[in-house]
């Protein structure tokens, strides 16, 4: 990856999106902070970034459905994926003790993932924020001695906070999958063995099964199927499918056959499987 690669992320520095970007590209990158997923897409579309790192699903919270729509509407290429273990810690200014805490602040999803911990401390008031790292940054900037943030170790290091409780997430097998997006569909240099596709089928008995059977017959494994309604169209759905294969010829044949039974068939990206957490 060339030095200074520009990567758009939702959130600020030390957010989980930046952590995922570092895991995929290494730390020698320039991260571009964005307030929303749509803004990351606009930045990429305008040529102000080389890639976007976008969360697409969480093992507890499920799929981020609006992000599927963004990828399709902007017609970006999925060129990779990265899985990140979501480890949440309680952090405060140096010197702050647990008994001093009156407020805990973080992103709503992060708060939801720590409800079991806070059940034991009803005296702590929970305040929702826009971003895990932004909550940590605010504690540093405003020198809040009665507030803790729920965030990752990257945020603790960057904003010079002390971790006072580690791993407070309820489910220790909590991970998020991120997709790596690029504006242009260039040839992938790595060997490819996974693809993300999108299609529609006609609304009659067995239409979807027919397509899914084609992939099964060609030994292509479907690792995820996600349906979403087509806006403004009753009983019409987009099907987003992730698939993996061992033999490229099997995949190519399956796609050729599936084209006959689908409409608006779109290969969103072909890339190398990367599911190590």
């Amino acid at each position: 990856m060339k030095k200074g690669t520009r990567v758009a992320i939702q959130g600020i520095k030390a957010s989980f999106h930046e952590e995922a970007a570092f895991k995929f590209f290494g730390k020698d990158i320039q991260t571009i902070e964005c307030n929303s997923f749509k803004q990351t897409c606009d930045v990429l579309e305008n040529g102000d970034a080389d890639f976007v790192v976008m969360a697409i699903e969480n093992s507890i919270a499920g799929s981020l459905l609006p992000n599927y729509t963004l990828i399709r509407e902007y017609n970006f290429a999925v060129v990779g994926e990265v899985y990140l273990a979501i480890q949440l810690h309680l952090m405060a200014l140096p010197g702050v003790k647990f008994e001093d805490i009156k407020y805990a602040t973080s992103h709503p999803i992060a708060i939801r993932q720590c409800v079991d911990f806070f059940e034991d401390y009803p005296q702590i008031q929970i305040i929702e924020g826009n971003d895990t790292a932004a909550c940590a940054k605010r504690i540093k900037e405003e020198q809040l001695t009665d507030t803790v943030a729920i965030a990752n170790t990257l945020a603790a290091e960057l904003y010079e906070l002390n971790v006072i409780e580690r791993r407070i997430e309820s489910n220790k097998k909590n991970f998020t999958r991120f997709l790596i997006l690029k504006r242009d569909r260039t040839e992938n240099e790595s060997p490819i063995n996974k693809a993300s596709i999108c299609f529609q089928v006609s609304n009659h008995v067995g239409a979807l099964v027919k397509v899914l059977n084609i992939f099964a017959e060609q030994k292509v494994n479907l690792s995820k199927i996600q349906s979403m309604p087509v806006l403004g169209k009753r009983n019409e759905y987009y099907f987003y499918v992730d698939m993996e294969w061992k033999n490229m010829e099997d995949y190519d044949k399956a796609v050729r056959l599936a084209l006959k039974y689908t409409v608006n068939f779109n290969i969103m990206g072909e890339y190398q499987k990367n599911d190590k957490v």
Side-chain angles (χ1 to χ4, degrees):
M1 194 53 56
K2 69 178 185 290
K3 184 175 172 66
T5 295
R6 301 167 303 166
V7 182
I9 59 168
Q10 188 272 323
I12 68 168
K13 291 190 182 304
S15 64
F16 284 108
H17 273 82
E18 186 177 64
E19 192 178 343
F22 286 159
K23 187 174 179 183
F24 188 85
F25 293 104
K27 292 208 170 182
D28 199 12
I29 59 173
Q30 177 191 346
T31 48
I32 299 168
E33 301 173 355
C34 299
N35 294 326
S36 66
F37 288 115
K38 186 179 187 306
Q39 191 184 348
T40 66
C41 292
D42 289 336
V43 166
L44 183 60
E45 180 82 359
N46 296 334
D48 296 323
D50 303 304
F51 297 93
V52 165
V53 172
M54 180 180 283
I56 201 70
E57 64 184 282
N58 175 267
S59 57
I60 296 171
S63 295
L64 282 75
L65 297 180
N67 289 359
Y68 281 101
T69 303
L70 283 173
I71 297 167
R72 193 190 74 251
E73 288 181 347
Y74 280 83
N75 200 29
F76 291 148
V78 181
V79 296
E81 65 177 353
V82 61
Y83 283 77
L84 188 68
I86 303 300
Q87 298 182 355
L88 296 164
H89 313 296
L90 217 55
M91 56 196 68
L93 287 170
V96 171
K97 297 183 174 62
F98 193 86
E99 52 267 29
D100 302 329
I101 299 164
K102 294 177 184 172
Y103 308 100
T105 178
S106 195
H107 186 278
I109 290 179
I111 291 167
R112 276 214 308 273
Q113 292 169 358
C114 302
V115 288
D116 292 348
F117 177 83
F118 286 104
E119 274 180 5
D120 295 334
Y121 304 100
Q123 75 275 16
I124 298 175
Q125 187 180 333
I126 308 296
I127 300 170
E128 293 186 354
N130 293 333
D131 180 75
T132 53
C135 293
K137 183 181 182 184
R138 181 171 159 256
I139 288 173
K140 169 77 185 296
E141 287 179 345
E142 298 181 20
Q143 290 291 295
L144 304 174
T145 55
D146 60 355
T147 305
V148 285
I150 305 163
N152 58 9
T153 51
L154 212 56
E157 289 162 15
L158 183 61
Y159 302 116
E160 299 172 328
L161 301 179
N162 281 355
V163 173
I164 56 176
E165 286 283 346
R166 300 189 69 82
R167 301 297 304 272
I168 66 166
E169 70 275 10
S170 303
N171 189 325
K172 305 305 178 194
K173 294 181 178 176
N174 180 10
F175 61 85
T176 296
R177 177 182 176 224
F178 299 79
L179 295 180
I180 314 301
L181 309 177
K182 200 177 176 196
R183 190 168 56 164
D184 304 317
R185 293 171 186 270
T186 50
E187 198 67 34
N188 202 322
E189 294 168 13
S190 307
I192 61 172
N193 55 8
K194 190 168 182 177
S196 295
I197 69 168
C198 174
F199 59 83
Q200 291 174 260
V201 294
S202 55
N203 185 21
H204 66 261
V205 173
L208 179 60
V209 170
K210 178 77 177 171
V211 177
L212 300 184
N213 279 339
I214 287 170
F215 290 108
E217 287 158 8
Q218 301 307 318
K219 302 183 183 66
V220 174
N221 178 44
L222 306 185
S223 56
K224 179 173 184 181
I225 302 173
Q226 181 74 54
S227 67
M228 277 187 67
V230 178
L231 281 177
K233 303 268 183 88
R234 197 163 66 89
N235 294 331
E236 288 190 31
Y237 294 87
Y238 286 110
F239 293 96
Y240 295 87
V241 178
D242 289 335
M243 53 188 60
E244 303 164 8
W245 60 87
K246 290 182 178 167
N247 188 326
M248 190 71 187
E249 287 76 22
D250 293 339
Y251 164 70
D252 286 338
K253 185 177 180 185
V255 167
R256 282 199 309 274
L257 293 170
L259 281 168
K260 299 176 185 175
Y261 302 97
T262 59
V263 291
N264 295 329
F265 190 98
N266 177 18
I267 298 174
M268 299 165 71
E270 297 169 336
Y271 48 96
Q272 188 170 29
K273 180 180 174 182
N274 180 25
D275 59 359
K276 291 189 179 70
V277 178

